Amino acid sequence: MNSRMTRALLGLASLAACSGGGGGEGELKVQIYGEEYIEAGIPADEFADGWAITFDSFLISVGEVAVAASGAGPAVEETRFQIFDVAADSGGVGQTVAAGVVPTGAYDDTRYIVAPSSDAVAGNASADDVARMTDGGLSVYVAGSATKGDEVKTFAWGFTGRTRYEACESEAVVKAATQASVQL
C-alpha cells in the first residue's frame, strides 16, 4: 500500500473513531415491561387445558439499575428501589425506571436487582402496593385469576427472593437529539 493510500485510510479511521455515533447527545430511558401477556392477560388458546389468566397486579421491586456503554461507567442509573405494577396498561411501552441525557452511542451493559427493600418508593405502584411489598419483605407479588368456562380460581403469591441481573441482552443506540430505551 502506498503512503497516500495509508494516509487516506488513517484519515477515514480517525473520522470514524471521533464521530461517536454522530456526536451530540440524546435521551436514554430505562423501561420495565412485563409483556403483553401480563398487561392484557394470557388467552385460553395459549394453554392446552383451556384456562385463561388475568393479572390484577404484578408488583416488582427493582433497584440498583445501571445502564452503560461496554467498559464505561453508568450513563443512567437509579440506585433506589422502586415498586412497579407491570400489569398496569402501558400500551406496550412499559414504565420508566430512570432516564438521562447521554452522549450518542451504543449502551449495551444493563444491570439491576430484583429484591425486597424496606425503603422502596413507588414507581407506578399505589401507596397500598408499596406498603404490601415493603411490610411483607417481598420482591415480587402476583395476584389474578384463572378462568375456564364458568369456573374461576383466584391466586395471590408473594416472593422474597433476591436476584441480580447482569450483562442483560438489552441494548439501546442513542442518536443525537432522539430518544432510545433499554427494557428490563
Side-chain angles (χ1 to χ4, degrees), residues 165-176:
Y165 295 87
E166 295 179 339
C168 300
E169 290 187 26
S170 56
E171 179 179 0
V173 177
V174 176
K175 296 180 181 175

Side-chain angles (χ1 to χ4, degrees), residues 108-112 165-171 182-184:
D108 58 357
D109 184 1
T110 301
R111 13 183 118 236
Y112 60 99
Y165 295 87
E166 295 179 339
C168 300
E169 290 187 26
S170 56
E171 179 179 0
V182 167
Q183 191 175 92
L184 305 182

Side-chain angles (χ1 to χ4, degrees), residues 66-153:
V67 178
S70 239
V76 173
E77 66 182 325
E78 176 57 72
T79 57
R80 301 177 301 173
F81 274 80
Q82 298 177 75
I83 309 294
F84 289 93
D85 185 351
V86 294
D89 184 20
S90 73
V93 175
Q95 308 298 329
T96 301
V97 176
V101 175
V102 299
T104 59
Y107 293 85
D108 58 357
D109 184 1
T110 301
R111 13 183 118 236
Y112 60 99
I113 295 175
V114 172
S117 174
S118 60
D119 61 350
V121 298
N124 72 325
S126 70
D128 287 343
D129 287 338
V130 172
R132 175 191 312 273
M133 298 290 283
T134 56
D135 295 348
L138 301 174
S139 54
V140 176
Y141 175 81
V142 181
S145 59
T147 307
K148 182 176 183 181
D150 292 337
E151 192 173 358
V152 177
K153 298 192 181 272

Side-chain angles (χ1 to χ4, degrees), residues 18 31-33 37 44 60 71-72 79 94 98 106 115 122 132 154 163 165 177 183:
C18 293
Q31 306 286 124
I32 188 164
Y33 178 57
Y37 282 152
I60 186 165
T79 57
R132 175 191 312 273
T154 60
T163 307
Y165 295 87
Q183 191 175 92

